Amino acid sequence: MRFHTLQELARLCDQEGVTIGELMLAEQCRESGRTRELELRKMTDYYLIMKQAVSEGLKEDHPSRSGLTGKDARQVHAYLQREAEATLAGAPAAAAMAYALAVSEVNASMGRIVATPTAGSCGIIPGSFVGSQTRFGWSDEHMTMGLFCAGAIGYVIANRSFVSGAEGGCQAEVGSAIAMAAGALAELRGGTPAQAVHAAGLALKNTLGLICDPVGGLVEIPCIVRNGFGAVNALAAADMALAGVRSAIPADEVVDAMREVGAAMPEKHRETAQGGLAATPTGRRIMDELYRRNSSS
Amino acid sequence: MRFKDVFSIIGPAMVGPSSSHTAGAVRLGRVARQLLGCRPERAEVTFYGSFAQTYLGHGTDLAIVGGLLDYDTDDLRIAHSLSHAEAAGIRVELRQGTGPAPAAHPNTARIRCFAPSPSPADGSQTAVSMIDRIEMIDMTGMSVGGGTIEIARVDGFPVRFSAVYFTLVLWHSDRRGLIAEAAGLLYRHNVNICSMETGRKERGGDALTVFETDAPVPDSLLLGMKALAGVRAMRVVNLGDRTGE
């Protein structure tokens, strides 16, 4: 890849007069040696799996293996259909929330999803993309280019910092996914590469310090609802950037800050289920019940 | 660069719930399976760090065993891999590692897997593995996030490969000129090497070389490689093909 920072990415796009998605696609072909058509098809297939996961998740409840979660997506979706005008966040935000919850619940039930960048954060991109696609009448081809844009932003974050909760906490997973979605949505709505990078920087600032504290070690509590919130934040960050708000701390420096914060995070807050929500009285009780059940079965 | 392309960020398509603890674990199991070259009869899996703390909740055990069955990351059979393994005659022992992990990452697994006694009717062996039987593989790998993996150790040799590229692993003796001959064979088959590393246990002793290449390694090349003096065994690792049993 010819870029290692978000600033380089935006500058290359400006110099060559292409979108971030287009640049990423060309770079990907160079790296893999495969044709543009093959790489496009692979990404479109991934988008179709994401849409499938949204509709699966809304069609029926998806109880997880633990039985702890799996009903929230349908609750939010039903609420939205009952009183769309009355939702506080507004219908598009509530839809993104329902879709993101749906994909995360499919994930927790060992259903099929696409990691974006991880499975723990797999609801945020589909959640914020699918609703926007319907609203603005975008084609699957347009959404596919959005995924290449999201991938370019994630590529920089993953190589400069991290994208796993075990290394860098939830900020690295959910935070990265929101930044990727925000940048891509800004570009899909016609924003410049610089605006897309600001959207990513703005989004990432909002999750700095978020710990990874899954109850019982499961990708369920609080991961699923954090995906619901994440999809809404992605829309908000894209809107801020499209309105002209800039990330006062350049996005690359925010990525570096995330690495510094993640490296300093105690091990109990990095996906070990030893701290945070996992260590609350209720979190511990759930874990005890779970393991008692597992050892007796 | 730990993450080399866009599909290590967007992707893989996988069954949940965790890219590092499920999809990455499937890939670790699958690399061990491909290094062994056949369906193992027995496997010992040791979890370290976050893997050890949370493998039950993430189905990391199901995932690694799915990989040992050569399943891809989005194979819905992963949810029931333990019973599939039992039906296939694979004995699996799961352990929680004590002491420091053999690799410096919170999501580390060590997989030791053993080949079954040879049977002429065993259809699970590939053409190549028939010519160089490996009794046991001892592999340590890390799942570094988003389903991306890094193999850190094979049979006591420190290595570093991700199985993103076509990967050729060569067990050989430390002989002057062997690597030049192996690289020459790749060159003559028009296969570009994108990375390689080699190590030995002692001067003139056992050695291991890993080639990552941009193109698949044709069978004719493997036969030529096998004929080189000092080559004991070799395996091709390729997670791109959809197979599974």
Side-chain angles (χ1 to χ4, degrees):
Chain A
M1 304 286 160
R2 284 181 297 154
F3 59 92
H4 301 97
T5 66
L6 294 168
Q7 195 189 359
E8 282 171 8
L9 175 64
R11 198 175 52 222
L12 275 172
C13 290
D14 282 343
Q15 280 166 4
E16 298 175 15
V18 293
T19 62
I20 295 177
E22 280 291 347
L23 187 96
M24 185 73 231
L25 173 57
E27 290 293 301
Q28 173 66 20
C29 293
R30 239 165 46 103
E31 175 63 33
S32 69
R34 288 189 292 266
T35 62
R36 183 183 161 91
E37 287 65 38
L38 279 176
E39 299 298 50
L40 275 172
R41 190 180 315 152
K42 181 167 179 176
M43 196 62 101
T44 304
D45 285 348
Y46 279 177
Y47 188 60
L48 297 178
I49 294 175
M50 293 180 200
K51 287 215 282 195
Q52 181 68 28
V54 168
S55 60
E56 281 286 314
L58 293 177
K59 204 164 59 195
E60 55 197 59
D61 288 347
H62 276 71
S64 60
R65 280 210 303 156
S66 69
L68 290 172
T69 54
K71 296 172 187 291
D72 298 345
R74 276 162 51 88
Q75 285 199 70
V76 172
H77 198 237
Y79 165 68
L80 170 66
Q81 293 193 315
R82 218 166 44 236
E83 36 196 330
E85 298 311 313
T87 53
L88 287 164
M97 193 156 69
Y99 297 171
L101 293 171
V103 176
S104 289
E105 288 179 353
V106 166
N107 178 58
S109 68
M110 292 194 92
R112 190 181 278 134
I113 54 94
V114 179
T116 53
T118 65
S121 56
C122 69
I124 290 160
I125 287 181
S128 55
F129 272 40
V130 172
S132 304
Q133 178 177 22
T134 315
R135 268 184 82 210
F136 298 113
W138 290 333
S139 64
D140 284 344
E141 290 71 30
H142 193 55
M143 305 316 288
T144 301
M145 295 314 295
L147 288 179
F148 277 103
C149 175
I153 294 166
Y155 171 83
V156 172
I157 298 174
N159 282 313
R160 284 180 77 89
S161 179
F162 18 54
V163 290
S164 82
E167 283 180 294
C170 191
Q171 57 168 6
E173 295 203 18
V174 158
S176 299
I178 301 171
M180 291 159 60
L185 287 164
E187 180 158 292
L188 288 173
R189 280 291 280 151
T192 63
Q195 282 176 317
V197 167
H198 278 300
L202 289 165
L204 208 54
K205 284 197 276 194
N206 195 43
T207 44
L208 275 189
L210 193 61
I211 59 171
C212 180
D213 51 352
V215 170
L218 306 173
V219 190
E220 297 188 43
I221 303 167
C223 322
I224 294 174
V225 295
R226 282 187 188 159
N227 273 266
F229 289 123
V232 178
N233 278 352
L235 301 178
D239 270 338
M240 269 196 217
L242 287 166
V245 177
R246 301 163 60 86
S247 178
I249 307 295
D252 289 307
E253 293 182 37
V254 183
V255 174
D256 292 347
M258 181 169 90
R259 186 184 61 224
E260 182 251 316
V261 170
M265 223 174 247
E267 192 176 306
K268 67 178 180 175
H269 294 147
R270 286 186 283 123
E271 207 172 346
T272 52
Q274 306 292 308
L277 296 170
T280 56
T282 303
R284 287 190 191 284
R285 180 177 51 75
I286 292 173
M287 174 137 74
D288 287 348
E289 285 169 6
L290 226 72
Y291 282 76
R292 211 175 305 132
R293 201 190 330 152
N294 272 325
S295 56
S296 65
S297 64
Chain B
M1 294 287 125
R2 284 198 301 180
F3 298 85
K4 297 192 163 91
D5 78 337
V6 75
F7 294 113
S8 57
I9 304 297
I10 307 290
M14 56 169 282
V15 300
S18 164
S19 48
S20 53
H21 291 61
T22 318
V26 173
R27 284 174 160 172
L28 290 174
R30 205 160 168 225
V31 171
R33 156 75 181 250
Q34 294 189 359
L35 288 174
L36 188 67
C38 62
R39 183 167 63 212
E41 181 179 64
R42 183 161 75 81
E44 295 169 13
V45 181
T46 312
F47 294 121
Y48 294 90
S50 170
F51 266 3
Q53 301 282 352
T54 68
Y55 76 91
L56 266 181
H58 288 126
T60 310
D61 47 346
L62 302 173
I64 287 200
V65 171
L68 291 171
L69 288 162
D70 216 13
Y71 294 167
D72 205 345
T73 51
D74 68 342
D75 197 313
L76 291 168
R77 291 174 295 180
I78 289 166
H80 307 288
S81 69
L82 289 178
S83 45
H84 293 312
E86 201 181 320
I90 305 176
R91 275 187 296 137
V92 180
E93 287 171 48
L94 297 169
R95 298 170 183 179
Q96 293 203 37
T98 49
H105 192 278
N107 295 331
T108 296
R110 180 177 182 186
I111 304 171
R112 280 159 46 96
C113 53
F114 301 83
S117 321
S119 140
D122 190 347
S124 70
Q125 300 208 351
T126 63
V128 174
S129 63
M130 294 296 275
I131 58 177
D132 52 1
R133 187 178 155 73
I134 291 175
E135 299 294 331
M136 192 269 282
I137 287 291
D138 182 353
M139 184 197 97
T140 298
M142 312 173 282
S143 180
V144 299
T148 298
I149 60 168
E150 211 170 279
I151 307 303
R153 193 167 273 272
V154 171
D155 292 348
F157 293 97
V159 294
R160 192 187 157 127
F161 65 93
S162 62
V164 167
Y165 297 98
F166 300 99
T167 306
L168 175 65
V169 181
L170 214 58
W171 286 260
H172 58 92
S173 51
D174 175 34
R175 172 177 72 74
R176 186 174 48 204
L178 189 147
I179 289 166
E181 291 162 21
L185 268 173
L186 287 163
Y187 165 62
R188 281 194 294 283
H189 283 80
N190 204 23
V191 175
N192 183 50
I193 301 169
C194 50
S195 96
M196 70 165 279
E197 62 183 328
T198 191
R200 67 178 185 196
K201 295 225 165 121
E202 62 196 11
R203 189 166 180 162
D206 286 344
L208 183 112
T209 296
V210 179
F211 296 99
E212 289 184 294
T213 64
D214 284 327
V217 179
D219 280 354
S220 54
L221 189 155
L222 293 175
L223 290 171
M225 203 69 93
K226 175 68 186 166
L228 298 179
V231 170
R232 287 192 294 112
M234 71 198 144
R235 287 292 183 270
V236 170
V237 175
N238 178 7
L239 302 190
D241 287 346
R242 289 175 174 271
T243 48
E245 52 195 22

